[in-house]
């Protein structure tokens, strides 16, 4: 009986250590709901992550003219219950808004990535994946912004 308990305990320890050595980083996050796709970004490690920010750009390729075109929608921040990890959901993407300049009629339309308008920058964290749920047919791109370590002092006036 003691041998059987020892084997069970050893098996449990072996399984736990194997899981800890290579855990699935997406295990905590929910699966994508019907009509949505889960997009994942793994940011590279950097020396001073507090000096970096990430911009998330959800959108799609569209035929555009000379006007500035954007899609409408809002990324909503959610938290994985019990884990505390953040993820984002884009519930819907609405038709684009555009400037109304008169374009040259001889200028052909071109294919370009049109993003949901957002100026928001998110905290940089290379330890966790950036997980975003978008409607099917929507692409996710991102930009990494960095600041210089050196600061400047404002003047009194």
């Amino acid at each position: 009986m003691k041998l059987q308990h020892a084997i069970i305990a050893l098996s449990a320890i072996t399984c736990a250590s194997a899981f800890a050595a290579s855990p699935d980083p997406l295990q905590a996050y929910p699966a994508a709901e019907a009509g949505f796709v889960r997009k994942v970004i793994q940011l590279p490690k950097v020396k001073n992550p507090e000096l970096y920010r990430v911009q998330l750009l959800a959108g799609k390729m569209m035929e555009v003219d000379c006007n500035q075109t954007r899609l409408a929608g809002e990324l909503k921040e959610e938290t994985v219950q019990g884990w505390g990890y953040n993820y984002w959901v884009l519930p819907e993407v609405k038709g684009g808004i555009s400037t109304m300049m008169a374009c040259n009629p001889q200028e052909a339309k071109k294919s370009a990535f049109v993003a949901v308008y957002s100026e928001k920058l998110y905290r940089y964290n290379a330890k966790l994946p950036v997980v975003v749920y978008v409607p099917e047919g929507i692409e996710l791109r991102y930009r990494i912004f960095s600041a210089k370590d050196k600061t400047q002092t404002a003047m009194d006036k």
Side-chain angles (χ1 to χ4, degrees):
M1 188 68 135
K2 287 184 180 183
L3 179 59
Q4 189 177 19
H5 288 304
I7 291 172
I8 292 171
L10 184 59
S11 297
I13 291 169
T14 303
C15 290
S17 64
F19 178 75
S22 60
D24 179 6
L26 299 177
Q27 178 183 9
Y29 297 93
E33 294 180 6
F36 286 81
V37 178
R38 180 170 63 186
K39 304 287 188 172
V40 179
I41 302 165
Q42 186 59 58
L43 298 170
K45 291 183 180 180
V46 293
K47 186 176 179 184
N48 296 317
E50 67 277 2
L51 297 177
Y52 291 79
R53 294 290 181 265
V54 178
Q55 181 183 29
L56 300 174
L57 302 162
K60 61 184 177 179
M61 295 298 291
M62 296 175 63
E63 290 293 314
V64 297
D65 57 17
C66 70
N67 287 288
Q68 295 291 320
T69 306
R70 298 283 183 250
L71 296 172
E74 183 182 349
L75 274 175
K76 297 184 184 285
E77 189 169 357
E78 305 280 336
T79 303
V80 178
Q81 295 302 316
W83 293 80
Y85 300 158
N86 295 338
Y87 64 93
W88 292 266
V89 177
L90 181 63
E92 65 179 328
V93 176
K94 296 179 184 173
I97 54 173
S98 174
T99 57
M100 302 293 284
M101 296 188 317
C103 299
N104 181 347
Q106 277 109 18
E107 190 176 307
K109 288 187 174 187
K110 61 183 179 193
S111 182
F113 181 74
V114 178
V116 171
Y117 180 76
S118 174
E119 294 180 358
K120 189 162 184 177
L121 300 178
Y122 300 94
R123 191 171 77 86
Y124 193 98
N125 183 0
K127 294 177 185 175
L128 293 172
V130 177
V131 179
V132 182
Y133 298 86
V134 298
E136 289 178 345
I138 297 297
E139 185 178 337
L140 182 68
R141 297 183 181 187
Y142 65 99
R143 285 189 188 111
I144 297 174
F145 290 86
S146 63
K148 294 179 181 177
D149 196 20
K150 183 179 177 184
T151 61
Q152 298 179 11
T153 304
M155 296 175 52
D156 293 338
K157 289 214 175 195

